[in-house]
Amino acid sequence: MRGMSRRALFAGTAVGATAALLPAPPAAASARAAACARYRAAYHFTVPDQWKNDPQRPVWIDGEYHYYYLYNPDYFTGGTTAGTAWRLATSTDLVHFRDRGIAVPKDTTPNGDVWSGCAVVDTDGTAGFGRGAVVVLATMEPVEGANTQAQYLYYSTDGGRTFTHHGTDPVLPNPGVRDFRDPKVIRDEERGRWVMVLAENNKVGFYHSADLKSWTYVGGFVKDGIGVLECPDLFRIRADDGTVKWVLGVSANGKGSGLPNTYAYWTGAFDGTTFTPDAAEPQWLDHGWDWYGAVTFEKRDSSGRLDEGTRYAIGWLNNWDYPNTTPTIDSDGFNGTDSIVREVTLKRATSGTYYLASRPVAALDSYVSRTVRLGDLEVDGTHVLDYRGLSYEVSCEITWEALTGAGLQLRRSPDGVRHIDAGVYGDYAFLNRRTTVNPDASGRWQESKSPFDPSARRVRLRILVDRTSVEMFVDDGRYVHSSEVFPYLIDDRLALFTIGGRAVFRDTVIREFAI
């Protein structure tokens, strides 16, 4: 673009509608950050600087969660291809995090950088590093594109703060395939062994080990039609009716089939070797465009006691279709934001189907800095509220007798032209970012949808709005929509709307947070 710098695009109240934002040298990025408005999220986890992508499953160690994530300290000089290490943040409540720096460094062996995997606490010292050692299994690719993706081991004897590589040979070599990555390991106490699930293109492979260092393939779960499977997940959970189910999850791209590009999952049974799904087709833990590389992890109380009926979950608020498109590069010198941590429970529908329901982590309530209670509001058309804000939560129950659609206009511009729409229309719930600045230059991925039964004539919405994201929880959280959005900073209005009738927005509450 001639005659206008990227600084001008982002300065003040504008984020710019450019579709491709290129990394800049650190010094230039620092100068821009000082001159530009702030787009760093107010209450979502963000990387301190440079780049982050995949979350790694947090583990409970010494009374706090250790959250590792893929971090590229050379992003501004080398882009996403410069490679990742594992950075660590710790938290006791999963809202406020303390940065602990790089835990698993990159490029310390000939195998290069460190990709996704998992950390486990080796309580009994099965790997030979001592009781309570923290062991990381992660993918590395010594020669790019040459079928060399394999699984390598790092270990920690200081409570998961720093890690040492266990030699330069893989603990699980590549059998000669292109996609062979993202190990997720759980402990099978009943059978006295470790179980690994591994992403292998259209298959999730299952492996056994006694010591985390030698693995045996025992079978696989195949699913076509939702792209290359990544970041697999496997866990046991107790439903609200007392039934125990196993859940197998993957990050997958179903956009080509009209499905989400997030976390697909199956409920079913697992006998230690084979996973048997309840249904052939997956359900999805998020229906938005930007909840990728997600992980679930154990919920424990302050004493470490496990909650068998609840998991936590966190996802990367980005998409590999546009990973470098964000105003935070120029405004704040970083690229990497996560979703809010969710509490995930298993519920049984009236049809007999089991599904995962999500809600924001309960500890978020402890950080409320301001509450605006608007009560019940009757709306016919568009009603602009007397409220302005960039980062907040808004919740309400919408009820009606006869209606085509209803919802909220989030981050609405002063003239009403720009906004993000969230609500229901006919037989679906939706989140539409088309009329605000957003990362999708193609224009194809603007409105996300999930099923809705209009005969209920009511819907409960809880929507988390931050500077570059919206997460909408519908009714009991069976359906969630998470998407990146980049509204101008002057776009701070909020409106309610109906289409084809009148509705009452009951118990309308806005909450702001201070982290």
Side-chain angles (χ1 to χ4, degrees), residues 413-473:
S413 61
D415 60 6
V417 173
R418 298 181 302 274
H419 43 80
I420 304 130
D421 295 341
V424 295
Y425 186 91
D427 61 356
Y428 61 88
F430 68 90
L431 179 62
N432 191 322
R433 61 186 182 182
R434 182 171 288 108
T435 57
T436 197
V437 183
N438 68 75
D440 175 35
S442 74
R444 299 175 62 193
W445 319 119
Q446 300 291 353
E447 182 177 65
S448 57
K449 299 179 180 180
S450 61
F452 175 72
D453 180 7
S455 67
R457 297 200 296 275
R458 66 176 58 234
V459 64
R460 181 75 184 171
L461 300 178
R462 183 177 179 184
I463 306 172
L464 304 184
V465 180
D466 216 331
R467 286 186 174 88
T468 58
S469 65
V470 172
E471 296 165 273
M472 178 177 72
F473 296 77

Side-chain angles (χ1 to χ4, degrees), residues 74-203:
D74 304 306
Y75 174 64
F76 284 120
T77 55
T80 57
T81 60
T84 51
W86 279 31
R87 192 160 180 158
L88 169 64
T90 58
S91 177
T92 57
D93 62 10
L94 299 172
V95 177
H96 179 268
F97 290 84
R98 182 177 178 183
D99 178 51
R100 301 290 187 176
I102 293 176
V104 183
K106 68 175 181 176
D107 300 329
T108 56
T109 77
N111 301 311
D113 62 328
V114 188
W115 297 6
S116 280
C118 69
V120 296
V121 178
D122 188 10
T123 303
D124 297 327
T126 64
F129 306 117
R131 291 180 177 271
V134 183
V135 175
V136 160
L137 290 120
T139 302
M140 302 174 78
E141 186 179 43
V143 182
E144 184 178 358
N147 296 346
T148 62
Q149 292 179 14
Q151 318 323 312
Y152 294 80
L153 189 149
Y154 288 75
Y155 66 94
S156 169
T157 57
D158 64 359
R161 295 297 179 89
T162 60
F163 288 81
T164 302
H165 67 81
H166 178 59
T168 59
D169 293 331
V171 295
L172 180 55
N174 190 303
V177 297
R178 176 179 178 180
D179 299 304
F180 194 71
R181 58 179 182 262
D182 308 339
K184 195 71 60 65
V185 175
I186 62 173
R187 182 66 182 171
D188 184 351
E189 294 291 359
E190 182 181 349
R191 300 168 184 86
R193 64 193 179 198
W194 299 95
V195 176
M196 175 195 292
V197 288
L198 191 70
E200 303 175 26
N201 195 278
N202 66 336
K203 181 180 75 173

Side-chain angles (χ1 to χ4, degrees), residues 283-319:
Q283 301 183 70
W284 297 82
L285 200 48
D286 199 291
H287 285 254
W289 301 120
D290 305 306
W291 202 72
Y292 201 73
V295 292
T296 72
F297 55 104
E298 294 175 343
K299 178 182 179 181
R300 294 185 179 273
D301 63 18
S302 58
S303 66
R305 188 184 305 112
L306 177 67
D307 183 341
E308 296 184 348
T310 308
R311 298 278 292 185
Y312 287 126
I314 188 171
W316 179 44
L317 278 174
N318 208 335
N319 189 309

Side-chain angles (χ1 to χ4, degrees), residues 398 400 403-408 422-425 430 459 461 497-499 503 505:
I398 310 173
W400 62 87
L403 195 67
T404 303
L408 298 89
V424 295
Y425 186 91
F430 68 90
V459 64
L461 300 178
F497 71 86
T498 65
I499 302 171
F505 289 70

Side-chain angles (χ1 to χ4, degrees), residues 23-51:
S30 177
R32 279 196 302 273
C36 295
R38 296 291 305 275
Y39 281 86
R40 188 180 290 273
Y43 60 96
H44 287 72
F45 180 86
T46 55
V47 66
D49 55 34
Q50 302 284 342
W51 159 277

Side-chain angles (χ1 to χ4, degrees), residues 279-359:
E281 295 305 314
Q283 301 183 70
W284 297 82
L285 200 48
D286 199 291
H287 285 254
W289 301 120
D290 305 306
W291 202 72
Y292 201 73
V295 292
T296 72
F297 55 104
E298 294 175 343
K299 178 182 179 181
R300 294 185 179 273
D301 63 18
S302 58
S303 66
R305 188 184 305 112
L306 177 67
D307 183 341
E308 296 184 348
T310 308
R311 298 278 292 185
Y312 287 126
I314 188 171
W316 179 44
L317 278 174
N318 208 335
N319 189 309
W320 283 113
D321 285 349
Y322 37 73
N324 298 313
T325 305
T326 172
T328 63
I329 293 174
D330 279 356
S331 67
D332 298 270
F334 80 94
N335 181 359
T337 302
D338 284 340
S339 72
I340 203 73
V341 173
R342 303 178 185 178
E343 296 182 3
V344 177
T345 55
L346 185 66
K347 296 181 179 293
R348 185 179 187 273
T350 54
S351 64
T353 300
Y354 287 89
Y355 65 92
L356 295 176
S358 303
R359 61 177 178 265

